């Protein structure tokens, strides 16, 4: 959407059409928030009346706060919009071709030839959770000659428009180009924390193969977009070399089958991955702190009491630790490069095993702590004090649901 806006091609959709696609209006959202807020008021009232707050209520309050925050941020977001707004026009194909080449959707991976250097990457590959190399990473856009005619599309490795349409030709990147691009990427790290991106699985390239007609047409359309819209050259160029005649564009998730719920590149772009990581881990710290508030609550057994106390402490500790690590990585460039190279399997085998075990054990313990809190919140209902069944008198006067 941002690219369409910069190119002046953002469709003019009336607000009424957008609201018509939503399955919930402001009143429905307000009722849900009122119902969630009532749970929060109930717990505050119980504390004021010196009545116990059960572990299930504490766990519910933590999720109620998350729900209230999401509704506040998504107040104007249409709910369950199923019918898309279709954009049509002769300008659509060139921009779509460039957007496709920039996205992982254009990356073809032969799963039988995937080279996984680490156990982590092998696990991600087995789950089909790996980064594909976008097509735009494998080609170079070169200044051509306006008077040059159309080249053969089915036998060569280059593609060019008919004369007068563009001054760019597209060709498969040479080894020198790939090395120059790799050096440039190392000079401008993307500041992505460990948990925020999938490992980049490298597939065995097939060099020297002729390009298909559909590929040549896509390359041609992409050159039209670059020639028409100057904003692409101003904001999407990664590297110019060979006296400015060879241009490489930075890959960006401009197209996706669906938007993921995890902060990968198709959800969060150009926002500073490490900073976003600090915000997410801060929410983890708050989650642990809210459950630690039930430190002196009633527990069915002594073991469950100490397991409950340990779990939110560990969750909060992980949140604080990763906030510090992300901050250090943001300030210390070598540390960021260390994470990136480890994720891409460029460290020694012993460091890969050591760090992999550390991350697996700590991550597994964090998942276990989160699961225990949810399970214990329900299991603890089997043994509650009699006062847990009492309600504040003021809540019986007010109508509620």
């Amino acid at each position: 959407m941002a690219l369409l806006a910069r190119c002046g091609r953002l469709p003019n959709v009336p607000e009424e059409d957008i609201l018509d696609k939503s399955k919930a209006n402001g009143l429905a959202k307000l009722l849900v928030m009122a119902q969630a807020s009532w749970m929060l008021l109930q717990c505050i009232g119980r504390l004021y009346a010196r009545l116990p707050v059960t572990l299930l209520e504490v766990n519910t309050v933590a999720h109620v706060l998350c729900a209230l925050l999401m509704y506040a941020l998504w107040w104007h977001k249409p709910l369950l919009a199923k019918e898309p707004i279709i954009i049509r026009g002769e300008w659509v194909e060139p921009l779509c071709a460039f957007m496709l080449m920039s996205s992982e959707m254009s990356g073809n991976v032969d799963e039988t030839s995937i080279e996984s250097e680490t156990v982590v990457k092998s696990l991600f590959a087995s789950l089909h959770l790996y980064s594909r190399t976008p097509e735009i990473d494998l080609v170079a856009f070169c200044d051509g000659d306006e008077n040059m005619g159309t080249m053969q599309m089915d036998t060569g490795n280059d593609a060019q428009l008919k004369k007068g349409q563009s001054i760019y030709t597209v060709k498969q990147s040479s080894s020198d180009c790939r090395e120059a691009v790799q050096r440039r990427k190392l000079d401008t790290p993307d500041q992505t924390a460990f948990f925020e991106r999938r490992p980049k699985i490298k597939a065995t390239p097939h060099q020297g193969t002729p390009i298909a007609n559909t590929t040549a047409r896509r390359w041609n359309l992409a050159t039209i977009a670059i020639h028409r819209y100057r904003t692409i050259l101003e904001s999407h160029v990664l590297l110019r070399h060979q006296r400015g005649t060879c241009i490489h564009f930075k890959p960006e998730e401009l197209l996706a089958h669906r938007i993921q719920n995890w902060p990968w590149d198709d959800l969060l772009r150009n926002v500073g991955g490490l900073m976003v990581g600090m915000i997410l881990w801060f929410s983890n710290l708050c989650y642990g702190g809210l459950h630690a508030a039930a430190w002196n609550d009633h527990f069915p057994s002594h073991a469950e009491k100490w397991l409950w106390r340990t779990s939110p402490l560990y969750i909060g500790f992980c949140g604080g630790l990763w906030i510090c690590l992300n901050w250090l990585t943001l300030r210390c460039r070598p540390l960021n490069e260390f994470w990136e190279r480890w994720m891409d399997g460029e460290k020694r085998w012993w460091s890969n095993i050591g760090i992999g075990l550390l991350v697996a054990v700590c991550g597994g313990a964090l998942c276990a702590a989160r699961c225990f809190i949810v399970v214990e919140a329900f299991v603890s209902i089997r043994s509650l004090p009699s006062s847990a069944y009492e309600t504040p008198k003021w809540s019986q006067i007010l109508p509620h649901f």
Side-chain angles (χ1 to χ4, degrees):
M1 296 300 291
L3 178 61
L4 292 178
R6 289 195 297 268
C7 294
R9 295 297 186 178
L10 193 65
N12 184 18
V13 182
E15 184 179 356
E16 293 77 12
D17 292 350
I18 299 175
L19 296 177
D20 184 62
K21 295 179 179 296
S22 180
K23 305 302 185 294
N25 54 19
L27 178 60
K29 297 176 182 178
L30 185 62
L31 290 175
V32 173
M33 292 187 68
Q35 187 175 9
S37 300
W38 177 253
M39 179 65 196
L40 187 60
L41 291 175
Q42 278 277 80
C43 292
I44 295 175
R46 295 185 67 85
L47 291 175
Y48 182 79
R50 298 187 181 277
L51 294 175
V53 178
T54 64
L55 301 181
L56 182 58
E57 289 173 323
V58 172
N59 185 258
T60 303
V61 165
H63 292 90
V64 162
L65 292 175
C66 293
L68 292 176
L69 179 61
M70 285 191 299
Y71 266 93
L73 295 175
W74 288 358
W75 187 264
H76 299 289
K77 180 179 182 294
L79 177 65
L80 298 176
K82 295 183 179 179
E83 291 298 323
I85 297 174
I86 301 176
I87 303 175
R88 294 183 173 90
E90 57 85 19
W91 57 269
V92 173
E93 285 190 348
L95 272 178
C96 285
F98 177 79
M99 293 165 68
L100 176 62
M101 291 181 65
S102 298
S103 308
E104 288 188 20
M105 291 175 59
S106 62
N108 295 320
V109 175
D110 182 6
E111 297 182 359
T112 61
S113 62
I114 290 177
E115 299 176 359
S116 299
E117 297 89 349
T118 65
V119 176
V120 174
K121 295 175 71 175
S122 299
L123 175 62
F124 274 79
S126 64
L127 298 175
H128 304 284
L129 296 175
Y130 49 77
S131 294
R132 298 174 181 267
T133 301
E135 188 178 26
I136 210 162
D137 258 352
L138 306 177
V139 298
F141 292 78
C142 303
D143 285 348
D145 185 356
E146 288 183 312
N147 297 320
M148 188 178 296
T150 305
M151 299 182 66
Q152 295 295 325
M153 294 184 182
D154 55 349
T155 57
N157 290 331
D158 297 350
Q160 183 174 354
L161 297 174
K162 293 181 180 179
K163 62 181 181 180
Q165 290 188 348
S166 178
I167 60 173
Y168 300 104
T169 58
V170 188
K171 65 178 182 180
Q172 293 181 348
S173 296
S174 63
S175 58
D176 293 338
C177 285
R178 291 194 297 270
E179 291 176 2
V181 169
Q182 185 63 25
R183 288 195 301 268
R184 182 57 182 266
K185 289 182 177 180
L186 291 176
D187 291 338
T188 56
D190 55 3
Q191 294 185 345
T192 302
F194 162 74
F195 70 99
E196 292 170 25
R197 76 159 168 87
R198 297 154 288 178
K200 297 176 181 177
I201 306 296
K202 298 178 182 179
T204 304
H206 300 282
Q207 299 294 336
T209 56
I211 59 175
N213 289 339
T214 54
T215 302
R217 173 170 168 75
R218 183 168 60 251
W219 291 3
N220 288 338
L221 290 171
T223 60
I224 294 177
I226 296 168
H227 184 61
R228 284 182 181 177
Y229 305 107
R230 187 174 181 83
T231 182
I232 296 179
L233 288 173
E234 293 175 349
S235 58
H236 291 267
V237 172
L238 174 67
L239 173 67
R240 288 177 181 264
H241 64 130
Q242 297 179 5
R243 297 182 180 179
T245 60
C246 188
I247 305 173
H248 296 271
F249 291 89
K250 56 185 177 183
E252 189 175 0
E253 284 299 279
L254 300 175
L255 290 179
H257 292 290
R258 64 183 182 90
I259 301 300
Q260 305 289 333
N261 292 324
W262 194 253
W264 284 329
D265 292 338
D266 52 359
L267 179 63
L268 297 174
R269 296 192 301 270
N270 302 325
V271 291
L274 292 172
M275 186 59 66
V276 174
M278 293 171 67
I279 296 174
L280 293 177
W281 281 111
F282 178 74
S283 65
N284 195 77
L285 177 62
C286 295
Y287 186 85
L290 285 172
H291 289 88
W295 189 273
N296 294 319
D297 209 337
H298 173 80
F299 294 90
S301 66
H302 189 72
E304 289 172 273
K305 176 177 69 175
W306 282 105
L307 283 173
W308 179 277
R309 291 179 176 181
T310 303
S311 295
L313 284 179
Y314 182 72
I315 292 172
F317 167 76
C318 288
L321 174 64
W322 281 96
I323 289 174
C324 295
L325 287 177
N326 279 5
W327 184 83
L328 289 174
T329 305
L330 185 62
R331 298 293 180 181
C332 182
R333 179 174 168 180
L335 186 58
N336 186 55
E337 293 177 355
F338 175 85
W339 279 114
E340 293 290 331
R341 290 175 178 173
W342 178 75
M343 284 295 291
D344 292 332
E346 297 179 9
K347 292 295 179 180
R348 297 181 182 273
W349 66 269
W350 52 267
S351 63
N352 289 332
I353 294 177
I355 298 175
L357 286 175
L358 180 62
V359 172
V361 171
C362 295
L366 178 61
C367 294
R370 295 287 294 262
C371 292
F372 173 79
I373 284 179
V374 176
V375 173
E376 180 62 22
F378 289 93
V379 172
S380 63
I381 299 177
R382 76 182 190 274
S383 176
L384 294 176
S386 58
S387 56
Y389 299 96
E390 299 178 12
T391 57
K393 294 182 180 179
W394 64 268
S395 65
Q396 300 177 5
I397 301 174
L398 296 177
H400 58 278
F401 44 88

